[in-house]
Amino acid sequence: MAAQPVPSDAGSGTGTDGHASSHPKPAEPVASTVELLARHPLLREALPAIAREVLEDAEGLSDANRPFDGNASFLKLMSTKIAIANRLREMRAILSQTTLNPRSVENFDALLAHQRSMKLSLDDCATWLEELQQRKLAAHKTPEELLPPRFVRLLQRLDLSAKEVKALEYITVHQCMGDRVREQRATVDLAAYSGMDPCELINFAAKNRPHIKQGLLSE
């Protein structure tokens, strides 16, 4: 299914009923990029190009205390989250191949430790990006100061579960910045990224859902 061009991304909290809340979660401390890179020396090696761009933007997109400056920066952060998910899928495949063929690899123990460290750094970066998104959304204190990204405002009008928000993120990013997230060797699919099972996917695409009736998504 294709998304109508809606610049932005998803990033709200989850309510007690499993549905996404239109209000950001309370702000939590977020490590700086310097702290993140110090904790994981292999992170730069593991990161896809778009993620390196985010981490290097220390006074802009990676600053947790600044709100998003528009739809484009929000979309870029969401694209980075999907790029990290793609890279993690690739790392899992590499780890499996290494583990299954230990005798065919020189310096097996060192290589396996290196690959595991890279995967751990990506896992931590994925968590950091989620926390960064929440902090930046929380920095949008009042509409008069700076409107939240359009995607977040859209979520306030839709009854979506947390998994459905992830699915909408995925669709929007692939429509708007598909080339950036598909340039990697491995890509994660919608079901894996959102965590949806087949029944949940069918319900998400049901014709009676507001996002379908409003034409936000089409077959």
Side-chain angles (χ1 to χ4, degrees):
M1 59 178 64
Q4 300 302 321
V6 179
S8 298
D9 181 15
S12 6
T14 305
T16 54
D17 59 355
H19 282 63
S21 166
S22 60
H23 303 290
K25 295 177 182 177
E28 296 291 341
V30 176
S32 67
T33 54
V34 173
E35 292 169 325
L36 186 67
L37 291 168
R39 190 158 63 234
H40 298 290
L42 296 178
L43 183 57
R44 283 192 186 277
E45 178 184 346
L47 288 176
I50 191 171
R52 286 195 294 271
E53 293 172 14
V54 171
L55 264 69
E56 290 167 1
D57 188 11
E59 296 183 357
L61 192 50
S62 67
D63 185 345
N65 297 312
R66 292 189 180 188
F68 290 99
D69 59 11
N71 294 314
S73 63
F74 189 53
L75 179 60
K76 185 171 185 177
L77 184 61
M78 183 52 43
S79 301
T80 302
K81 289 165 58 179
I82 293 177
I84 292 292
N86 290 343
R87 188 75 172 103
L88 273 166
R89 180 176 182 178
E90 181 183 349
M91 283 305 307
R92 291 188 189 102
I94 291 172
L95 271 166
S96 295
Q97 185 176 13
T98 302
T99 305
L100 291 172
N101 300 284
R103 295 180 181 178
S104 64
V105 178
E106 293 184 12
N107 301 316
F108 170 75
D109 291 338
L111 177 62
L112 187 62
H114 181 85
Q115 291 174 349
R116 284 175 172 167
S117 293
M118 287 182 68
K119 180 184 175 297
L120 179 61
S121 72
L122 288 167
D123 282 328
D124 203 9
C125 186
T127 300
W128 177 81
L129 287 168
E130 292 286 357
E131 294 170 349
L132 176 66
Q133 177 176 308
Q134 295 302 328
R135 275 288 298 274
K136 292 183 77 69
L137 287 174
H140 290 267
K141 296 177 182 176
T142 65
E144 291 75 17
E145 294 181 29
L146 184 64
L147 282 174
R150 184 181 174 196
F151 194 91
V152 175
R153 287 179 277 137
L154 175 65
L155 290 180
Q156 296 171 356
R157 302 194 298 271
L158 298 174
D159 183 26
L160 298 178
S161 69
K163 291 181 180 180
E164 289 172 339
V165 169
K166 298 284 284 184
L168 194 56
E169 292 175 1
Y170 182 95
I171 294 167
T172 302
V173 165
H174 278 78
Q175 286 293 306
C176 299
M177 294 186 71
D179 291 344
R180 294 301 308 270
V181 295
R182 286 194 294 265
E183 63 188 12
Q184 298 166 264
R185 285 181 292 179
T187 56
V188 67
D189 59 28
L190 185 151
Y193 182 74
S194 66
M196 285 177 154
D197 61 32
C199 291
E200 290 171 322
L201 284 168
I202 291 171
N203 182 55
F204 177 63
K207 292 182 179 180
N208 65 330
R209 299 295 300 277
H211 56 279
I212 300 295
K213 291 196 290 186
Q214 294 174 19
L216 181 61
L217 302 179
S218 61
E219 295 182 359

